DNA sequence: GCGACAG
DNA sequence: ATCTTGTCGC
Protein backbone atom coordinates (compact mmCIF):
# COMPACT_ATOMS: atom_id res chain seq x y z
CA UNK A 1 0.00 0.00 0.00
CA UNK A 2 1.05 3.55 -0.51
CA UNK A 3 1.26 6.23 2.15
CA UNK A 4 -0.50 8.94 0.15
CA UNK A 5 -1.00 11.74 2.63
CA UNK A 6 2.55 12.17 3.85
CA UNK A 7 3.44 14.75 6.47
CA UNK A 8 6.50 15.68 8.48
CA UNK A 9 7.02 13.86 11.72
CA UNK A 10 6.80 16.02 14.85
CA UNK A 11 9.67 16.36 17.27
CA UNK A 12 7.72 18.09 19.97
CA UNK A 13 4.36 17.85 21.60
CA UNK A 14 3.39 21.24 20.16
CA UNK A 15 4.23 20.12 16.64
CA UNK A 16 2.21 16.95 17.14
CA UNK A 17 -0.84 18.89 18.25
CA UNK A 18 -0.38 21.17 15.28
CA UNK A 19 -0.39 18.27 12.83
CA UNK A 20 -3.30 16.63 14.58
CA UNK A 21 -5.35 19.81 14.57
CA UNK A 22 -4.68 20.29 10.87
CA UNK A 23 -6.07 16.83 10.13
CA UNK A 24 -9.21 16.80 12.26
CA UNK A 25 -11.40 18.33 9.58
CA UNK A 26 -10.24 15.81 7.02
CA UNK A 27 -11.69 12.85 8.87
CA UNK A 28 -14.84 11.57 7.17
CA UNK A 29 -17.38 9.37 8.90
CA UNK A 30 -19.26 8.12 5.89
CA UNK A 31 -18.67 6.56 2.54
CA UNK A 32 -18.59 2.93 3.46
CA UNK A 33 -21.46 0.54 3.88
CA UNK A 34 -20.32 -2.27 1.65
CA UNK A 35 -19.19 -5.56 3.15
CA UNK A 36 -15.42 -5.86 2.85
CA UNK A 37 -13.83 -8.65 0.87
CA UNK A 38 -10.42 -8.13 2.40
CA UNK A 39 -9.74 -6.84 5.88
CA UNK A 40 -6.41 -5.81 7.35
CA UNK A 41 -5.53 -5.84 11.03
CA UNK A 42 -2.73 -3.75 12.48
CA UNK A 43 -0.93 -4.23 15.76
CA UNK A 44 2.32 -3.22 17.40
CA UNK A 45 4.28 -5.06 20.10
CA UNK A 46 6.87 -3.33 22.23
CA UNK A 47 10.38 -4.66 22.71
CA UNK A 48 12.49 -4.72 25.82
CA UNK A 49 12.05 -1.54 27.81
CA UNK A 50 9.42 -0.30 25.39
CA UNK A 51 12.09 1.35 23.24
CA UNK A 52 11.31 -0.50 20.06
CA UNK A 53 8.18 -1.45 18.20
CA UNK A 54 7.54 -4.54 16.09
CA UNK A 55 4.44 -4.11 13.97
CA UNK A 56 2.37 -6.60 12.04
CA UNK A 57 -0.14 -5.98 9.29
CA UNK A 58 -2.09 -8.99 8.15
CA UNK A 59 -4.63 -9.10 5.35
CA UNK A 60 -7.40 -11.65 5.63
CA UNK A 61 -10.38 -12.59 3.50
CA UNK A 62 -13.73 -11.59 4.95
CA UNK A 63 -15.63 -13.04 6.63
CA UNK A 64 -13.77 -16.35 6.73
CA UNK A 65 -10.42 -14.80 7.62
CA UNK A 66 -7.97 -16.70 5.47
CA UNK A 67 -4.61 -14.96 5.33
CA UNK A 68 -3.66 -13.56 1.94
CA UNK A 69 -0.84 -11.20 2.85
CA UNK A 70 1.28 -10.06 5.76
CA UNK A 71 3.95 -7.51 6.48
CA UNK A 72 6.22 -7.01 9.46
CA UNK A 73 8.14 -3.92 10.44
CA UNK A 74 10.46 -2.55 13.07
CA UNK A 75 10.88 0.95 14.37
CA UNK A 76 12.62 2.77 17.17
CA UNK A 77 10.17 5.44 18.22
CA UNK A 78 11.51 8.85 19.09
CA UNK A 79 8.24 10.33 20.20
CA UNK A 80 7.09 9.51 23.76
CA UNK A 81 3.83 7.87 24.63
CA UNK A 82 1.37 10.59 25.48
CA UNK A 83 -2.32 9.73 25.79
CA UNK A 84 -4.00 11.44 22.88
CA UNK A 85 -0.84 11.49 20.76
CA UNK A 86 -0.33 7.79 20.42
CA UNK A 87 -0.17 8.00 16.64
CA UNK A 88 3.03 9.99 16.80
CA UNK A 89 4.73 7.19 18.72
CA UNK A 90 3.51 4.05 17.05
CA UNK A 91 2.52 5.49 13.70
CA UNK A 92 5.87 5.06 11.93
CA UNK A 93 5.97 1.33 12.68
CA UNK A 94 2.39 0.84 11.55
CA UNK A 95 2.90 2.86 8.38
CA UNK A 96 6.00 0.85 7.52
CA UNK A 97 4.06 -2.38 7.96
CA UNK A 98 1.24 -1.17 5.72
CA UNK A 99 3.69 0.00 3.07
CA UNK A 100 4.96 -3.55 2.86
CA UNK A 101 1.58 -4.99 1.88
CA UNK A 102 1.01 -6.05 -1.71
CA UNK A 103 -2.69 -6.59 -1.27
CA UNK A 104 -4.96 -3.61 -0.72
CA UNK A 105 -7.66 -4.30 1.87
CA UNK A 106 -11.10 -2.70 1.94
CA UNK A 107 -10.82 -1.73 5.57
CA UNK A 108 -8.20 -1.68 8.31
CA UNK A 109 -8.88 -2.59 11.93
CA UNK A 110 -6.47 -1.20 14.49
CA UNK A 111 -5.81 -1.69 18.20
CA UNK A 112 -6.47 1.94 19.04
CA UNK A 113 -9.24 4.51 19.10
CA UNK A 114 -10.74 6.36 16.17
CA UNK A 115 -12.88 9.37 17.00
CA UNK A 116 -13.30 8.30 20.64
CA UNK A 117 -10.52 10.74 21.32
CA UNK A 118 -10.19 14.17 22.99
CA UNK A 119 -9.97 15.89 19.62
CA UNK A 120 -11.84 13.24 17.60
CA UNK A 121 -8.59 12.26 15.95
CA UNK A 122 -7.22 9.03 17.32
CA UNK A 123 -4.58 6.82 15.77
CA UNK A 124 -7.14 4.99 13.63
CA UNK A 125 -8.21 8.30 12.09
CA UNK A 126 -4.63 9.19 11.23
CA UNK A 127 -3.93 5.84 9.58
CA UNK A 128 -7.12 6.20 7.58
CA UNK A 129 -6.03 9.63 6.39
CA UNK A 130 -2.49 8.47 5.66
CA UNK A 131 -3.65 5.73 3.30
CA UNK A 132 -7.05 7.18 2.34
CA UNK A 133 -8.78 4.00 3.42
CA UNK A 134 -11.61 3.10 5.81
CA UNK A 135 -10.32 2.38 9.31
CA UNK A 136 -11.85 1.04 12.49
CA UNK A 137 -10.55 1.63 15.99
CA UNK A 138 -10.94 -1.24 18.44
CA UNK A 139 -9.29 -0.58 21.80
CA UNK A 140 -9.05 -2.52 25.03
CA UNK A 141 -9.32 0.48 27.29
CA UNK A 142 -11.22 3.73 27.22
CA UNK A 143 -9.27 6.88 26.51
CA UNK A 144 -11.99 9.48 26.33
CA UNK A 145 -15.70 9.75 26.91
CA UNK A 146 -18.00 8.05 29.35
CA UNK A 147 -20.41 5.18 29.27
CA UNK A 148 -22.84 3.48 31.57
CA UNK A 149 -22.03 0.08 32.95
CA UNK A 150 -22.14 -2.58 30.26
CA UNK A 151 -24.19 -5.71 30.88
CA UNK A 152 -22.13 -8.75 31.84
CA UNK A 153 -23.30 -10.87 28.94
CA UNK A 154 -21.66 -11.12 25.55
CA UNK A 155 -23.37 -8.79 23.11
CA UNK A 156 -24.24 -6.14 25.70
CA UNK A 157 -23.13 -2.63 24.88
CA UNK A 158 -23.35 1.00 25.93
CA UNK A 159 -22.65 4.10 23.91
CA UNK A 160 -19.49 6.02 24.70
CA UNK A 161 -20.50 9.65 24.85
CA UNK A 162 -19.01 13.07 25.33
CA UNK A 163 -21.21 16.09 25.88
CA UNK A 164 -24.22 14.24 24.60
CA UNK A 165 -22.55 13.05 21.44
CA UNK A 166 -21.87 9.39 20.83
CA UNK A 167 -18.27 8.86 19.84
CA UNK A 168 -17.98 5.13 20.25
CA UNK A 169 -19.38 1.93 21.68
CA UNK A 170 -18.36 -0.11 24.71
CA UNK A 171 -19.05 -3.67 23.68
CA UNK A 172 -18.96 -6.84 25.76
CA UNK A 173 -17.37 -9.21 23.28
CA UNK A 174 -17.21 -12.09 25.73
CA UNK A 175 -19.03 -13.06 28.92
CA UNK A 176 -17.56 -11.64 32.08
CA UNK A 177 -14.59 -10.11 30.31
CA UNK A 178 -13.92 -6.40 30.13
CA UNK A 179 -15.61 -4.71 27.18
CA UNK A 180 -13.79 -3.49 24.09
CA UNK A 181 -14.22 -0.01 22.64
CA UNK A 182 -15.18 0.53 19.05
CA UNK A 183 -15.07 3.81 17.15
CA UNK A 184 -14.79 4.72 13.49
CA UNK A 185 -11.46 6.02 12.29
CA UNK A 186 -12.06 7.31 8.77
CA UNK A 187 -14.45 6.78 5.86
CA UNK A 188 -16.96 4.76 7.84
CA UNK A 189 -19.49 5.24 10.60
CA UNK A 190 -19.91 3.63 14.00
CA UNK A 191 -22.57 1.22 12.76
CA UNK A 192 -20.26 -0.12 10.08
CA UNK A 193 -17.33 -0.28 12.48
CA UNK A 194 -19.41 -2.17 15.01
CA UNK A 195 -20.72 -4.61 12.44
CA UNK A 196 -17.25 -5.46 11.23
CA UNK A 197 -15.90 -5.88 14.74
CA UNK A 198 -18.81 -7.98 15.97
CA UNK A 199 -18.84 -10.20 12.90
CA UNK A 200 -15.18 -10.88 13.56
CA UNK A 201 -15.70 -12.29 17.04
CA UNK A 202 -14.89 -15.94 17.42
CA UNK A 203 -15.25 -16.61 21.12
CA UNK A 204 -12.37 -14.44 22.26
CA UNK A 205 -12.37 -10.94 23.61
CA UNK A 206 -10.77 -9.51 20.47
CA UNK A 207 -12.08 -9.94 16.93
CA UNK A 208 -10.18 -12.57 14.97
CA UNK A 209 -8.24 -10.18 12.69
CA UNK A 210 -6.78 -8.31 15.65
CA UNK A 211 -6.11 -11.52 17.49
CA UNK A 212 -4.10 -12.78 14.54
CA UNK A 213 -2.22 -9.49 14.18
CA UNK A 214 -1.50 -9.48 17.91
CA UNK A 215 -0.04 -12.98 17.83
CA UNK A 216 1.98 -12.12 14.72
CA UNK A 217 3.44 -8.94 16.19
CA UNK A 218 4.46 -10.74 19.38
CA UNK A 219 5.92 -13.64 17.45
CA UNK A 220 7.90 -11.18 15.36
CA UNK A 221 9.21 -9.51 18.49
CA UNK A 222 10.24 -12.77 20.15
CA UNK A 223 12.04 -13.98 17.09
CA UNK A 224 13.97 -10.72 16.83
CA UNK A 225 14.78 -10.35 20.51
CA UNK A 226 14.79 -13.94 21.68
CA UNK A 227 12.33 -15.12 24.27
CA UNK A 228 14.88 -15.34 27.08
CA UNK A 229 17.63 -13.26 25.61
CA UNK A 230 16.65 -10.01 27.22
CA UNK A 231 19.52 -7.81 28.26
CA UNK A 232 21.06 -9.37 31.34
CA UNK A 233 21.20 -7.32 34.48
CA UNK A 234 24.77 -6.21 35.38
CA UNK A 235 24.85 -8.14 38.64
CA UNK A 236 23.84 -11.29 36.85
CA UNK A 237 26.66 -10.79 34.37
CA UNK A 238 29.24 -10.47 37.16
CA UNK A 239 28.11 -13.49 39.13
CA UNK A 240 27.44 -15.65 36.13
CA UNK A 241 29.76 -18.45 35.19
C1' DG B 1 -5.62 21.69 42.28
C1' DC B 2 -6.62 16.63 41.39
C1' DG B 3 -7.48 12.66 38.80
C1' DA B 4 -7.62 10.33 34.19
C1' DC B 5 -4.86 8.81 30.68
C1' DA B 6 -5.28 4.22 23.59
C1' DG B 7 -0.18 1.43 23.48
C1' DA C 1 2.74 -1.64 26.04
C1' DT C 2 6.63 -4.18 28.99
C1' DC C 3 8.83 -6.88 33.34
C1' DT C 4 7.22 -12.09 34.81
C1' DT C 5 5.65 -18.16 36.69
C1' DG C 6 2.87 -20.24 38.41
C1' DT C 7 -1.60 -20.85 39.31
C1' DC C 8 -6.64 -20.38 40.31
C1' DG C 9 -10.89 -21.14 37.75
C1' DC C 10 -14.29 -22.45 34.05
Amino acid sequence: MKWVNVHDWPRTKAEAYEIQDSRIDKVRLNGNNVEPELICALEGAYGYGGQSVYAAAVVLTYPDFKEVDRSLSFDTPTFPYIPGLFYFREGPALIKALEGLKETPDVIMITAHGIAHPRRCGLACHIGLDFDIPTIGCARRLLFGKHRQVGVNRGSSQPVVHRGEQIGLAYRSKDEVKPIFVSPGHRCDLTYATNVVVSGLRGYRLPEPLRVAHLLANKHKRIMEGKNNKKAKPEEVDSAG
Side-chain angles (χ1 to χ4, degrees):
Chain A
M1 297 187 71
K2 189 176 181 184
W3 182 15
V4 290
N5 291 312
V6 181
H7 59 79
D8 291 330
W9 216 261
R11 288 183 60 264
T12 67
K13 205 172 173 179
E15 289 176 0
Y17 280 124
E18 202 173 302
I19 293 171
Q20 193 163 68
D21 289 341
S22 75
R23 301 187 100 184
I24 293 174
D25 295 336
K26 296 175 181 172
V27 174
R28 295 210 329 267
L29 299 182
N30 54 39
N32 192 334
N33 292 303
V34 183
E35 278 227 332
E37 290 179 14
L38 291 181
I39 183 169
C40 171
L42 256 188
E43 171 83 323
Y46 288 78
Y48 181 79
Q51 300 309 303
S52 53
V53 177
Y54 299 85
V58 57
V59 179
L60 310 170
T61 56
Y62 181 98
D64 52 330
F65 304 137
K66 302 295 181 192
E67 181 177 331
V68 297
D69 194 8
R70 68 165 66 177
S71 170
L72 303 176
S73 71
F74 172 78
D75 182 61
T76 305
T78 53
F79 204 87
Y81 168 66
I82 299 170
L85 297 178
F86 185 41
Y87 167 72
F88 299 103
R89 175 168 181 74
E90 193 167 306
L94 300 182
I95 290 169
K96 274 189 197 175
L98 288 175
E99 287 179 319
L101 289 177
K102 292 173 182 171
E103 295 288 338
T104 299
D106 299 299
V107 61
I108 301 175
M109 187 182 289
I110 314 173
T111 303
H113 288 289
I115 64 168
H117 176 279
R119 289 168 299 285
R120 306 285 191 280
C121 198
L123 187 152
C125 301
H126 282 286
I127 294 296
L129 290 170
D130 285 335
F131 291 84
D132 189 22
I133 191 171
T135 52
I136 295 169
C138 181
R140 302 184 183 81
R141 303 180 65 170
L142 190 65
L143 166 69
F144 186 71
K146 294 175 180 172
H147 66 85
R148 292 160 64 179
Q149 194 170 61
V150 181
V152 296
N153 298 318
R154 176 172 62 84
S156 299
S157 66
Q158 285 291 340
V160 173
V161 301
H162 176 246
R163 293 184 182 175
E165 179 189 356
Q166 182 170 13
I167 56 177
L169 187 72
Y171 187 92
R172 186 84 63 187
S173 53
K174 181 178 178 180
D175 290 349
E176 296 171 48
V177 164
K178 288 181 294 183
I180 55 178
F181 303 89
V182 181
S183 63
H186 185 50
R187 289 178 55 181
C188 70
D189 58 23
L190 178 60
T191 299
Y192 173 85
T194 302
N195 285 339
V196 173
V197 167
V198 171
S199 64
L201 296 175
R202 295 289 186 277
Y204 295 93
R205 184 184 179 214
L206 296 178
E208 195 60 17
L210 283 186
R211 223 171 64 80
V212 171
H214 183 77
L215 293 172
L216 251 178
N218 274 93
K219 182 179 176 184
H220 180 208
K221 181 191 77 176
R222 285 172 186 164
I223 288 174
M224 296 302 285
E225 300 201 338
K227 184 173 181 178
N228 291 304
N229 290 331
K230 291 181 283 289
K231 296 172 185 173
K233 295 174 182 175
E235 56 272 30
E236 291 174 341
V237 173
D238 293 339
S239 60

